[in-house]
Short mmCIF file of all heavy atoms in Angstrom, two decimals:
data_model
loop_
_atom_site.label_atom_id
_atom_site.label_comp_id
_atom_site.label_asym_id
_atom_site.label_seq_id
_atom_site.Cartn_x
_atom_site.Cartn_y
_atom_site.Cartn_z
N LEU B 26 78.76 111.70 108.02
CA LEU B 26 79.53 112.02 106.81
C LEU B 26 80.28 110.79 106.32
O LEU B 26 80.27 110.46 105.14
CB LEU B 26 80.49 113.18 107.09
CG LEU B 26 81.46 113.54 105.96
CD1 LEU B 26 80.70 113.98 104.71
CD2 LEU B 26 82.42 114.63 106.42
N LEU B 30 79.78 108.94 102.74
CA LEU B 30 80.89 108.78 101.80
C LEU B 30 81.15 107.31 101.48
O LEU B 30 81.45 106.96 100.34
CB LEU B 30 82.15 109.45 102.36
CG LEU B 30 82.14 110.97 102.36
CD1 LEU B 30 83.29 111.52 103.19
CD2 LEU B 30 82.20 111.51 100.93
N LEU B 143 91.50 106.06 102.31
CA LEU B 143 90.69 107.08 102.96
C LEU B 143 89.23 106.89 102.61
O LEU B 143 88.89 106.17 101.69
CB LEU B 143 91.17 108.48 102.57
CG LEU B 143 91.40 108.75 101.08
CD1 LEU B 143 90.19 109.40 100.46
CD2 LEU B 143 92.62 109.63 100.92
N VAL B 144 88.38 107.57 103.36
CA VAL B 144 86.95 107.53 103.11
C VAL B 144 86.54 108.73 102.27
O VAL B 144 85.70 108.62 101.39
CB VAL B 144 86.17 107.48 104.45
CG1 VAL B 144 84.67 107.62 104.23
CG2 VAL B 144 86.48 106.18 105.19
N GLY B 145 87.15 109.88 102.53
CA GLY B 145 86.84 111.09 101.76
C GLY B 145 88.00 112.06 101.80
O GLY B 145 88.88 111.95 102.66
N PHE B 146 88.00 113.00 100.85
CA PHE B 146 89.04 114.03 100.80
C PHE B 146 88.46 115.30 100.22
O PHE B 146 87.39 115.29 99.61
CB PHE B 146 90.25 113.54 99.98
CG PHE B 146 89.97 113.39 98.50
CD1 PHE B 146 90.29 114.42 97.61
CD2 PHE B 146 89.41 112.24 97.99
CE1 PHE B 146 90.04 114.29 96.25
CE2 PHE B 146 89.16 112.09 96.63
CZ PHE B 146 89.47 113.12 95.76
N ASP B 147 89.19 116.41 100.42
CA ASP B 147 88.77 117.68 99.83
C ASP B 147 89.92 118.26 99.00
O ASP B 147 91.03 117.71 99.03
CB ASP B 147 88.25 118.64 100.90
CG ASP B 147 89.29 119.11 101.90
OD1 ASP B 147 90.51 119.03 101.62
OD2 ASP B 147 88.90 119.58 102.98
N PRO B 148 89.69 119.33 98.25
CA PRO B 148 90.74 119.89 97.39
C PRO B 148 91.99 120.36 98.15
O PRO B 148 93.06 120.46 97.56
CB PRO B 148 90.06 121.06 96.69
CG PRO B 148 88.60 120.76 96.74
CD PRO B 148 88.40 120.00 98.03
N ALA B 149 91.85 120.65 99.45
CA ALA B 149 93.00 121.06 100.25
C ALA B 149 93.80 119.86 100.75
O ALA B 149 94.75 120.02 101.51
CB ALA B 149 92.54 121.91 101.43
N LEU B 150 93.41 118.66 100.32
CA LEU B 150 94.06 117.40 100.66
C LEU B 150 93.91 117.00 102.13
O LEU B 150 94.74 116.28 102.68
CB LEU B 150 95.52 117.38 100.22
CG LEU B 150 95.70 117.44 98.70
CD1 LEU B 150 97.17 117.45 98.33
CD2 LEU B 150 94.99 116.29 98.02
N ASN B 151 92.84 117.47 102.74
CA ASN B 151 92.45 116.92 104.03
C ASN B 151 91.78 115.59 103.75
O ASN B 151 91.17 115.41 102.69
CB ASN B 151 91.47 117.86 104.74
CG ASN B 151 92.12 119.18 105.06
OD1 ASN B 151 93.14 119.23 105.74
ND2 ASN B 151 91.55 120.27 104.54
N ARG B 152 91.90 114.65 104.67
CA ARG B 152 91.30 113.33 104.48
C ARG B 152 90.48 112.97 105.70
O ARG B 152 90.74 113.46 106.81
CB ARG B 152 92.38 112.26 104.21
CG ARG B 152 93.29 112.00 105.39
CD ARG B 152 94.32 110.90 105.16
NE ARG B 152 93.79 109.57 105.20
CZ ARG B 152 93.51 108.90 106.32
NH1 ARG B 152 93.69 109.47 107.50
NH2 ARG B 152 93.05 107.68 106.27
N ILE B 153 89.52 112.13 105.48
CA ILE B 153 88.78 111.54 106.58
C ILE B 153 88.88 110.03 106.38
O ILE B 153 88.71 109.52 105.27
CB ILE B 153 87.31 112.03 106.65
CG1 ILE B 153 86.63 111.52 107.92
CG2 ILE B 153 86.52 111.67 105.41
CD1 ILE B 153 85.27 112.17 108.18
N ALA B 176 92.29 107.27 96.15
CA ALA B 176 90.84 107.28 96.30
C ALA B 176 90.16 107.27 94.94
O ALA B 176 90.79 107.57 93.92
CB ALA B 176 90.40 108.53 97.07
N SER B 178 87.43 109.05 92.50
CA SER B 178 87.06 110.46 92.32
C SER B 178 85.77 110.82 93.06
O SER B 178 85.61 111.95 93.51
CB SER B 178 86.93 110.79 90.83
OG SER B 178 86.00 109.91 90.21
N GLN B 180 84.94 110.24 95.93
CA GLN B 180 85.17 110.46 97.36
C GLN B 180 85.51 111.91 97.70
O GLN B 180 85.65 112.25 98.87
CB GLN B 180 86.30 109.53 97.85
CG GLN B 180 85.91 108.06 97.79
CD GLN B 180 87.07 107.15 98.15
OE1 GLN B 180 87.65 106.51 97.30
NE2 GLN B 180 87.40 107.11 99.43
N MET B 181 85.60 112.76 96.68
CA MET B 181 85.93 114.17 96.93
C MET B 181 84.69 114.95 97.35
O MET B 181 83.61 114.76 96.81
CB MET B 181 86.52 114.79 95.67
CG MET B 181 87.00 116.20 95.88
SD MET B 181 88.02 116.69 94.48
CE MET B 181 87.95 118.44 94.63
N VAL B 182 84.88 115.80 98.35
CA VAL B 182 83.84 116.73 98.82
C VAL B 182 84.43 118.14 98.78
O VAL B 182 85.64 118.31 98.68
CB VAL B 182 83.35 116.38 100.24
CG1 VAL B 182 82.70 115.00 100.27
CG2 VAL B 182 84.48 116.44 101.24
N ASP B 183 83.57 119.14 98.86
CA ASP B 183 84.04 120.53 98.78
C ASP B 183 84.98 120.89 99.93
O ASP B 183 85.98 121.56 99.73
CB ASP B 183 82.85 121.50 98.77
CG ASP B 183 82.07 121.42 97.47
OD1 ASP B 183 82.64 121.00 96.44
OD2 ASP B 183 80.87 121.77 97.49
N ALA B 184 84.63 120.47 101.14
CA ALA B 184 85.47 120.76 102.31
C ALA B 184 85.14 119.75 103.40
O ALA B 184 83.99 119.37 103.57
CB ALA B 184 85.22 122.17 102.83
N LEU B 185 86.17 119.33 104.11
CA LEU B 185 85.99 118.42 105.23
C LEU B 185 86.16 119.18 106.54
O LEU B 185 86.96 120.12 106.62
CB LEU B 185 87.04 117.30 105.19
CG LEU B 185 86.82 116.20 104.17
CD1 LEU B 185 88.03 115.27 104.15
CD2 LEU B 185 85.56 115.40 104.48
N PRO B 186 85.43 118.77 107.56
CA PRO B 186 85.65 119.36 108.88
C PRO B 186 86.99 118.87 109.41
O PRO B 186 87.27 117.68 109.39
CB PRO B 186 84.48 118.82 109.71
CG PRO B 186 84.10 117.55 109.02
CD PRO B 186 84.40 117.74 107.56
N ILE B 187 87.82 119.78 109.84
CA ILE B 187 89.18 119.44 110.28
C ILE B 187 89.25 119.46 111.80
O ILE B 187 88.73 120.35 112.45
CB ILE B 187 90.20 120.47 109.71
CG1 ILE B 187 90.09 120.52 108.19
CG2 ILE B 187 91.61 120.12 110.13
CD1 ILE B 187 90.20 119.20 107.51
N ASP B 191 94.21 116.19 112.72
CA ASP B 191 94.21 115.77 111.31
C ASP B 191 95.47 116.27 110.61
O ASP B 191 95.89 117.42 110.78
CB ASP B 191 92.98 116.32 110.58
CG ASP B 191 91.70 115.63 111.03
OD1 ASP B 191 91.76 114.49 111.50
OD2 ASP B 191 90.62 116.25 110.88
N VAL B 192 96.09 115.40 109.83
CA VAL B 192 97.31 115.72 109.08
C VAL B 192 96.98 115.63 107.60
O VAL B 192 96.58 114.57 107.12
CB VAL B 192 98.45 114.74 109.44
CG1 VAL B 192 99.71 115.07 108.66
CG2 VAL B 192 98.72 114.75 110.94
N PRO B 193 97.13 116.74 106.85
CA PRO B 193 96.79 116.71 105.42
C PRO B 193 97.81 115.90 104.61
O PRO B 193 98.94 115.66 105.05
CB PRO B 193 96.81 118.18 105.01
CG PRO B 193 97.73 118.82 105.99
CD PRO B 193 97.60 118.05 107.27
N LEU B 194 97.38 115.51 103.44
CA LEU B 194 98.24 114.78 102.52
C LEU B 194 99.10 115.74 101.72
O LEU B 194 98.79 116.93 101.62
CB LEU B 194 97.36 113.97 101.55
CG LEU B 194 96.42 112.96 102.20
CD1 LEU B 194 95.40 112.44 101.18
CD2 LEU B 194 97.21 111.82 102.81
N MET B 196 99.89 114.82 98.48
CA MET B 196 99.28 114.65 97.17
C MET B 196 98.30 113.49 97.22
O MET B 196 98.30 112.70 98.18
CB MET B 196 100.33 114.45 96.07
CG MET B 196 101.24 113.28 96.23
SD MET B 196 102.69 113.24 95.09
CE MET B 196 102.13 113.94 93.59
N LEU B 197 97.48 113.39 96.18
CA LEU B 197 96.47 112.35 96.12
C LEU B 197 96.23 112.03 94.66
O LEU B 197 96.32 112.92 93.81
CB LEU B 197 95.19 112.85 96.77
CG LEU B 197 94.00 111.91 96.77
CD1 LEU B 197 93.28 111.95 98.11
CD2 LEU B 197 93.06 112.21 95.64
N THR B 199 93.48 109.78 91.97
CA THR B 199 92.27 109.01 91.76
C THR B 199 92.40 108.31 90.40
O THR B 199 93.44 108.43 89.74
CB THR B 199 91.02 109.92 91.73
OG1 THR B 199 91.02 110.67 90.52
CG2 THR B 199 90.96 110.84 92.94
N ILE B 204 96.21 115.29 92.39
CA ILE B 204 96.08 116.58 93.07
C ILE B 204 97.31 116.75 93.95
O ILE B 204 97.61 115.88 94.77
CB ILE B 204 94.81 116.63 93.94
CG1 ILE B 204 93.56 116.36 93.08
CG2 ILE B 204 94.70 117.99 94.64
CD1 ILE B 204 92.31 116.11 93.90
N GLU B 205 98.03 117.85 93.76
CA GLU B 205 99.21 118.12 94.57
C GLU B 205 98.92 119.29 95.48
O GLU B 205 98.35 120.29 95.05
CB GLU B 205 100.42 118.41 93.68
CG GLU B 205 100.84 117.21 92.87
CD GLU B 205 102.16 117.41 92.18
OE1 GLU B 205 103.17 117.55 92.88
OE2 GLU B 205 102.16 117.41 90.95
N GLY B 206 99.31 119.18 96.73
CA GLY B 206 99.10 120.24 97.70
C GLY B 206 100.25 121.23 97.69
O GLY B 206 101.28 121.02 97.05
#
Side-chain angles (χ1 to χ4, degrees):
L26 174 61
L30 288 168
L143 48 96
V144 172
F146 69 96
D147 66 20
L150 295 178
N151 296 303
R152 66 178 285 282
I153 187 170
S178 56
Q180 294 175 254
M181 185 167 160
V182 297
D183 290 336
L185 284 173
I187 304 307
D191 289 335
V192 179
L194 301 168
M196 60 191 325
L197 178 139
T199 72
I204 303 168
E205 294 190 64

